[in-house]
Amino acid sequence: MSHEENQTNQYLTFYLNGEIFGIPIHRVLEVLDYTEITKVPQTPDYMRGVINLRGSIVPVVDMHLKFDLDPSERTVNSCIIIMDVTIEGTKTSLGALADSVREVIELEPGQIEPAPKMGTRLNSDFVQGMGKHGDEFIMLLNIDAVFTGHHGSLSEADSVAA
Amino acid sequence: MAKTVLAVDDSRSILQMVSFTLKGAGYTVVEAGNGQEALAQAQKQKFDLVLTDLNMPVMDGLTLVQKLRATPSYKFTPILMLTTEAGEAFKAKGKAAGLTGWLVKPFDPQKLMGVVKKVLG
Amino acid sequence: MDSPQQAFKEEAYELLTELETALLELEECPDDMEIIGQVFRAMHTIKGSGAMFGFTDISSFTHEVETVYDLVRSGEMKVTKTLVDLSLQARDHILGLLDAVCEGQPADLPRSGELVRQFQALIPGKTSTPAFEVPVQEEKAEIDELQTYRIRFNPSPEILKTGTRMSALLDELAELGTCRTIAHKSKVPPLDQIDPELCYVSWDILLTSPCREEEIRDVFIFVEDECEIRIRRLDIGSDGEEQQKRLGDILIERGDITQDEIDKVIAKSRRIGEMLVDARLVDVDAVESALQEQQLVRQLTEKRKEKTEAPASSSLRVPAERLDELVNLVGEMVTVQSRLSQTAALSGDSELQSIAEEVERLTEELRDSTLNIRMLPIGSTFSKFKRLVRDIASDLKKEVDFQTAGAETELDKTVIEQLNDPLVHIIRNSMDHGLELPDVRQAAGKPRQGTVFLGAQHSGDSVVIEIRDDGKGLNTDVIREKAISKGLIGPDENLSDQEIYQLIFAPGFSTAQQVTGLSGRGVGMDVVKRAIEALRGTISLDSTLGKGTTVRLRIPLTLAIIESLLVKIGSGSFVLPLSAVEECVELTQSDIEDSHGRCLANVRGTLIPYIPLRNSFAIPGPVPPIQQIVITRIDGQQVGFVVDTVIGEHQTVIKSLGPMYRDVRCTSGATILGDGSVALILDLVPLTQQHAVTEAARLS
């Protein structure tokens, strides 16, 4: 894994509510335009549902709801970033619903600072570090953590249903 | 017409296995429990192949082979022996008696069929 | 990478399984020659093929074990428990050796030596125990390529008197590959001098075959002592570059003529063959034969460039992944086909419709035969359990008779694989917690030996697997107390026996009690239940205190494709397994009003409870004036599911929702419809249970 993590310094950046987030480019499979998402009943709201990606079923997570941000407005720029994640040891593909994709940037390790313990609404486990690019700060996500464990599964699914 | 095989062995289980296998492959099989019985059968009808055990009560396999070879109608008939060993001594004795080939026990149905096909063509 | 080796490995794994079964049977019937024979044959085959494919460690070890069983066969040795124990260890060791080869690990040869010594110690009269020889690594023979051999077969004149048929021999050779046969008839005397009982002919055979020289020699096994048999592999350069041999060289190489003799005639300048014949140095047949070889070699050299195809076979082994790939493709084919049918139906084009129908029929056949390929008898796992039971019994000091039934019942390969762990766990539980110790059983008036029964049988589109023991049964009071202490139920909750049994499957129920070290894998029955449900199966329990417990699993035959009913609620599509569906009836607004808020439909006088899925799933939008109730039968009970519209029957290719949705209870997967949209597959059993719980809460 560490080998894999080290092999690139490139990050795909995207917007959520005006904030910039980044994920390692080698984890990104493709970026899709917004498409019809089939909701799976009795699941939390942030789990928007599943889509048909060339014959495979791929789950889509609404990053706004996942991070407790204000609900997203659908625009022409809304997109689904398909990425590889490892959930409880199983490698799988997953789509993240974002406001828009920005660009691919390069960040040297020196440009990345540890995640601040405070001052962000995000669970600090989700953040791998803060990248500084020009005069902007980019929240680099630890995507496995974002979608894994209690945060990612639906232990409260039944209560949602009831 | 189905080829006929005379199977000779004092062990019921081996005889059964041989018989079952050959019948399954479309041969007609007549069974005999020792050399003497086999000789009697061989005189009643002409078999295309004789399969015999070596050690049997009353008349053993080698004697049976010699007696069959001395019978004009069995001069060129393939005769196979079921044996637990196929050492040089056995081969020499068998060949001298007029044996066509042998099958080393234990054998499975597949091997049996292989050898039968080998000598019958 | 190495296909013959792969084939051997697969064969060996099968044989080892058979061997294990046979050994366990042998323990029960130590005098059964047939079983001894089986054990011997399994060892024999492993030894034989092992040697052929270069698994020398396995082969030489197995040879030693086989030797012992040869003694058993010939009655010089008796089958004892020690022998069976040792043989089982040997069997495991062979498996270990095989695994070592697969993983590129070094073989545990000291263990081989140790086991061989133990085997030899069992042989009566065997005093000296020669150390197990570490075999020298032999060079592996190249056998996957076609080779060409020149065979000279010169039988003794007397050969016919042993009943040998020349035609049978030549035919057998011909079966090994492509043959060119030239008979040398020069020794045949004039007709009036012929003795019809003698053989005057000899043969040169050019055989092109994947066989090795030994296999060719085997053809002559019965006649090798009275005939001259020379077999030589012809060098045909694999790059096709090697220089073609001249006729003279071939004749010299075969010993038909010497270089001197050739040199003498070579001065004259006609074709060498004719000259040699004229000079009476060789006969016409010899030249003809050599010419044939020259021609063949020429052809083969050319052919080699094109790469020859492998010989056909009546059955073949296919890696499981390829089969899975095929099933996936068929799945997609089914999806596309339903799209075609849909489009054709809408188009009104009758020709297109008839094509679509044809495609539908073919797809259905394709689907059935593809899924059939993956069906395997469940018995292959049964034998594993036999061993497991034996080992557990001796660990627990319990006496167990393990019975099986329905080994021939076929299930999808994937399902069988995924059933393994749950079954292991259930059987362990039965033996550990169910069966009593022999003394306890005796005191209770039961036979000392307990029984564990494992059976499988078809039931509709499912297979029912039963694990039954005649142990002490489930004590509802104990379970109840434990559940209360774990906070799973309140102290005053009034539960039926069945409900109490179900507590065993609750997460966190069974883990703590497993202190025996046997079942102590940290998994409880909740994991078993999850595993069974992941197979879209159900698990149920039945028990009588003091008499025993039965665990019943109901598993669908295949995981890949099901027949289903496609329905719509709002804009969402859902499918229900057709096997559960009985009929569809309308639900009007007045029906709902008539039932006074109780979800019961009156179907021809019978009141059937129904579940309004729109509510359960919190689907927004207006409710249509006439809804449909899909009446299903679940665990013997009729239950209705209310949907907006029923679209019709649908071939559903099941796709997993992935780990994100692992805990979702109401759907068991998704499928892609003809128009590319996604429909969810409803899991009716949990839906019904969930509804019952909410209803109960609402009414109380």
Side-chain angles (χ1 to χ4, degrees), chain C residues 154-165:
Chain C
N154 187 10
S156 93
E158 303 283 329
I159 191 165
L160 300 178
K161 295 185 179 166
T162 58
T164 306
R165 309 206 162 164

Side-chain angles (χ1 to χ4, degrees), chain B residues 1-79:
Chain B
M1 216 187 69
K3 297 213 166 166
T4 54
V5 180
L6 176 60
V8 196
D9 202 308
D10 59 332
S11 151
R12 286 299 312 161
S13 60
I14 292 185
L15 208 49
Q16 226 170 23
M17 182 266 203
V18 168
S19 192
F20 182 79
T21 306
L22 291 176
K23 281 177 185 162
Y27 295 94
T28 307
V29 183
V30 173
E31 299 175 7
N34 60 52
Q36 193 87 61
E37 280 179 37
L39 215 52
Q41 290 289 354
Q43 270 143 16
K44 268 191 256 170
Q45 79 182 94
K46 171 76 176 82
F47 292 94
D48 297 297
L49 171 71
V50 181
L51 261 171
T52 175
D53 188 23
L54 176 58
N55 297 311
M56 290 179 294
V58 191
M59 181 194 288
D60 71 24
L62 276 181
T63 317
L64 172 64
V65 177
Q66 284 162 351
K67 297 223 183 234
L68 282 174
R69 285 289 179 239
T71 314
S73 55
Y74 283 91
K75 208 163 181 171
F76 303 110
T77 304
I79 306 175

Side-chain angles (χ1 to χ4, degrees), chain B residues 3 48 69 75-80 84 88 91 95 98-103 105-108 111 114-115 117-121, chain C residues 33 37 40-41 44-45 70 73 160-165 167-169 171-172 175 196-197 218-226:
Chain B
K3 297 213 166 166
D48 297 297
R69 285 289 179 239
K75 208 163 181 171
F76 303 110
T77 304
I79 306 175
L80 284 171
T84 46
E88 290 307 317
K91 285 199 238 172
K95 279 293 174 183
L99 197 60
T100 312
W102 51 87
L103 183 58
K105 292 184 205 168
F107 51 84
D108 55 19
K111 201 161 158 198
V115 174
K117 269 185 69 187
K118 183 180 183 70
V119 296
L120 273 182
Chain C
M33 285 312 283
F40 184 90
R41 273 198 297 280
H44 188 76
T45 313
D70 193 26
R73 279 197 85 260
L160 300 178
K161 295 185 179 166
T162 58
T164 306
R165 309 206 162 164
S167 58
L169 273 175
D171 285 350
E172 198 182 342
E175 275 173 23
E197 296 190 0
D218 273 353
V219 172
F220 298 102
I221 186 163
F222 295 150
V223 298
E224 59 190 0
D225 292 339
E226 60 233 82

Side-chain angles (χ1 to χ4, degrees), chain A residues 39 42 49 52 55 61 88, chain C residues 655 660-662 672 676 680 690:
Chain A
K39 176 74 188 166
Q42 305 181 351
N52 165 17
V61 171
E88 285 163 27
Chain C
K655 307 237 176 205
M660 278 277 288
Y661 289 95
R662 186 176 292 161
I672 294 168
L680 297 166
Q690 196 182 65

Side-chain angles (χ1 to χ4, degrees), chain C residues 427-440:
Chain C
I427 291 173
R428 278 188 175 165
N429 260 343
S430 294
M431 294 182 63
D432 200 354
H433 306 308
L435 293 184
E436 312 91 329
L437 288 164
D439 290 344
V440 178

Side-chain angles (χ1 to χ4, degrees), chain C residues 337-411:
Chain C
Q337 172 264 311
S338 70
R339 196 161 138 203
L340 174 66
S341 299
Q342 218 173 325
T343 314
L346 290 175
S347 74
D349 179 338
S350 65
E351 176 148 7
L352 182 61
Q353 279 166 8
S354 84
I355 295 173
E357 272 167 31
E358 186 77 346
V359 172
E360 185 174 345
R361 186 182 63 76
L362 287 172
T363 312
E364 226 163 82
E365 280 177 29
L366 182 65
R367 180 203 63 181
D368 288 348
S369 23
T370 308
L371 292 181
N372 253 330
I373 303 177
R374 293 213 306 191
M375 297 302 245
L376 287 177
I378 195 172
S380 51
T381 46
F382 281 11
S383 54
K384 254 188 278 173
F385 294 131
K386 211 163 177 184
R387 174 71 183 272
L388 178 83
V389 166
R390 183 184 184 278
D391 290 349
I392 298 180
S394 63
D395 277 1
L396 291 173
K397 315 252 176 315
K398 289 180 180 176
E399 291 172 25
V400 182
D401 178 23
F402 183 60
Q403 297 173 357
T404 59
E408 71 289 346
T409 312
E410 286 191 336
L411 259 173

